[in-house]
Amino acid sequence: MTILPRTTPLVTEIDDDLLAEFIVTPAPPDDSAGAYDATPPEEPDYMRDAPMPPGAATPSATQDGAPPGYWQTQLHSLDTFLQRPKKTWLVDRIIGAGDFVLLYGESGHGKTHAVIDLAFSCLTGNTFADTFSVARPLTVAYATGEGVSGLADRMRAVSKHYGRLDLPLYIFADIPQLFDRNETAGAVAFIHAWRAMADAGQVPAQLDILILDTLHNATAGADENSARDVSVIMQTLRLLRDALDCSIVLVHHSNKAGTDYRGSSSLKGAMDTMLRAQKTDKSFVMSCEKLKDGEAWPARSFELAQLGDTDEGVFVKWTGEVRTAAKTETHAARCLTYLRANAGNYFTADSITKDIGLTPGNIKNVLADLQKLVAAGTIQRDGGGRKGAPYRFGVDLLAGEK
């Protein structure tokens, strides 16, 4: 496991030229003849040297000898397109080759612990969450922009838990910027720095997964609620993915209410997989909110187990599938079934609504059902001293039913 400090960028003045391959905005023609030059920009080296996809059309020079633009190398006939290989899963039903994955949650709800455990499962080739197979031991880079000392403590504890320190994990104590293309710490600088370090033998040439923790730290100056800004961020992420031939995992925050991820809805549309980490009393839940190329799987629960002495940190201990109510029940019955299955834990009306498989528009009905169950003495609403999570099916009530 290697921690890589920030390196001096090898490229500062051509960032816009490389990103322009993905963000081309031609100028409108004016009245003067020849004022608009429609010649495609020159293809960057990493695209020119990249292997062609199976069955793709071979690019040819334009009439003036200039190479074609990036998009033309992706042209397929229907026949060759249908012969493309099937999706390759690096981590079954979570990370595919070239995928974008977003894991989000509120502060203190286990998202960083979950993503670190995911990283170590990838590094070792071990099954993730006791459920999702890993294709092979993978190379992982982890870039963060905050909490480096705390991250080191977490990494140390997980390394001891896995019993491995010789893993191909490369940790950057800063994070490439995805929104401001003129930043010397941007995506192009990161690409060139990685390749330079690969040439020097500091890192492997092939990177499998790049983790960016957090998306907010990597998008200084962007408006997360703006679909336009998110589109720029996604274009830069595609540049990183294609240049490094890797999958990208983003760690992100919840909104203030803790009911959803923060930012524009276009972010979810651009993701291949969306995961959410939530805290429920003393345990945590990781749920799948989107799986573009498959069926969303049942949520998995985990705990933070102590490693040795109290000062050695914690690691993720997976405890199985979260039990949920059957969808054929009434809302009230589904709420009661869910709370009974998770007796003693506390939940908000919003989290119950989501966990029993209802849309956010049903929260008022669920809240009314919960209030009726409280009035009937079936469930408790005392919150256990925790503001905002008042509903539970108490252990004492559960004992009374037997």
Side-chain angles (χ1 to χ4, degrees):
M1 183 167 61
T2 305
I3 298 180
L4 301 172
R6 179 171 178 169
T7 58
T8 302
L10 301 180
V11 175
T12 58
E13 68 276 6
I14 65 170
D15 294 22
D16 283 336
D17 293 336
L18 285 177
L19 280 175
E21 298 296 330
F22 292 81
I23 316 173
V24 178
T25 306
D30 59 23
D31 295 333
S32 59
Y36 175 60
D37 182 7
T39 303
E42 184 176 353
E43 209 173 25
D45 289 341
Y46 70 81
M47 287 309 308
R48 188 180 305 115
D49 298 336
M52 294 288 291
T58 302
S60 57
T62 57
Q63 291 182 352
D64 60 1
Y70 166 72
W71 70 271
Q72 294 187 40
T73 66
Q74 308 303 306
L75 178 63
H76 300 266
S77 68
L78 175 61
D79 179 58
T80 58
F81 186 79
L82 295 179
Q83 295 178 34
R84 289 168 60 88
K86 293 182 179 180
K87 184 182 183 77
T88 299
W89 289 105
L90 301 181
V91 181
D92 185 39
R93 294 175 290 159
I94 294 183
I95 306 176
D99 274 1
F100 294 118
V101 178
L102 187 142
L103 170 61
Y104 78 95
E106 297 177 73
S107 296
H109 279 232
K111 61 180 181 292
T112 300
H113 289 289
V115 81
I116 290 175
D117 191 67
L118 171 61
F120 273 76
S121 292
C122 292
L123 293 163
T124 58
N126 291 342
T127 299
F128 173 57
D130 297 329
T131 304
F132 309 100
S133 61
V134 178
R136 54 180 170 79
L138 304 168
T139 298
V140 179
Y142 195 115
T144 184
E146 63 181 9
V148 176
S149 59
L151 180 64
D153 292 338
R154 293 178 179 183
M155 292 282 189
R156 185 177 299 109
V158 179
S159 296
K160 289 182 179 179
H161 169 62
Y162 277 85
R164 296 283 300 277
L165 293 174
D166 58 336
L167 296 170
L169 174 60
Y170 302 91
I171 304 170
F172 291 83
D174 61 356
I175 197 165
Q177 291 301 306
L178 307 175
F179 182 67
D180 189 343
R181 293 182 291 138
N182 295 317
E183 284 285 340
T184 57
V188 173
F190 185 88
I191 292 166
H192 281 263
W194 181 271
R195 289 181 171 176
M197 288 184 289
D199 290 341
Q202 294 177 280
V203 299
Q206 178 59 55
L207 175 63
D208 294 307
I209 297 174
L210 172 61
I211 298 173
L212 301 179
D213 183 5
T214 61
L215 179 61
H216 175 73
N217 291 331
T219 54
D223 179 358
E224 293 176 333
N225 295 310
S226 166
R228 181 175 182 177
D229 285 6
V230 170
S231 71
V232 173
I233 293 167
M234 289 308 306
Q235 287 170 324
T236 310
L237 283 169
R238 292 185 188 100
L239 171 60
L240 271 173
R241 177 195 65 186
D242 294 347
L244 298 176
D245 191 23
C246 66
S247 302
I248 297 179
V249 176
L250 305 171
V251 181
H252 193 35
H253 296 288
S254 296
N255 57 20
K256 288 183 179 180
T259 57
D260 209 340
Y261 68 92
R262 196 168 71 190
S264 169
S265 59
S266 62
L267 183 61
K268 183 174 183 177
M271 294 296 112
D272 296 282
T273 305
M274 287 272 294
L275 307 176
R276 182 180 185 181
Q278 292 176 279
K279 187 174 182 179
T280 58
D281 195 23
K282 294 182 180 181
S283 62
F284 301 83
V285 170
M286 184 185 72
S287 56
C288 179
E289 297 194 343
K290 177 183 178 181
L291 188 59
K292 183 178 179 181
D293 297 311
E295 293 289 333
W297 31 264
R300 322 302 298 184
S301 62
F302 64 93
E303 300 174 350
L304 297 182
Q306 193 69 47
L307 180 69
D309 297 332
T310 56
D311 61 347
E312 289 194 75
V314 297
F315 64 93
V316 169
K317 179 181 179 181
W318 295 96
T319 54
E321 182 178 317
V322 176
R323 293 171 289 178
T324 57
K327 294 188 178 182
T328 55
E329 299 174 295
T330 64
H331 291 181
R334 288 162 70 177
C335 290
L336 184 57
T337 301
Y338 176 77
L339 290 171
R340 183 182 289 112
N342 297 278
N345 293 327
Y346 294 90
F347 303 91
T348 63
D350 173 74
S351 67
I352 294 171
T353 302
K354 285 193 172 185
D355 289 345
I356 65 176
L358 299 177
T359 62
N362 287 289
I363 188 170
K364 289 184 178 180
N365 294 331
V366 169
L367 184 58
D369 289 333
L370 290 169
Q371 291 170 344
K372 291 178 182 177
L373 290 170
V374 170
T378 307
I379 65 174
Q380 296 175 347
R381 184 181 182 179
D382 56 22
R386 291 185 58 219
K387 182 179 179 181
Y391 297 101
R392 70 166 178 150
F393 190 92
V395 175
D396 50 341
L397 293 178
L398 183 63
E401 284 194 343
K402 295 181 179 179

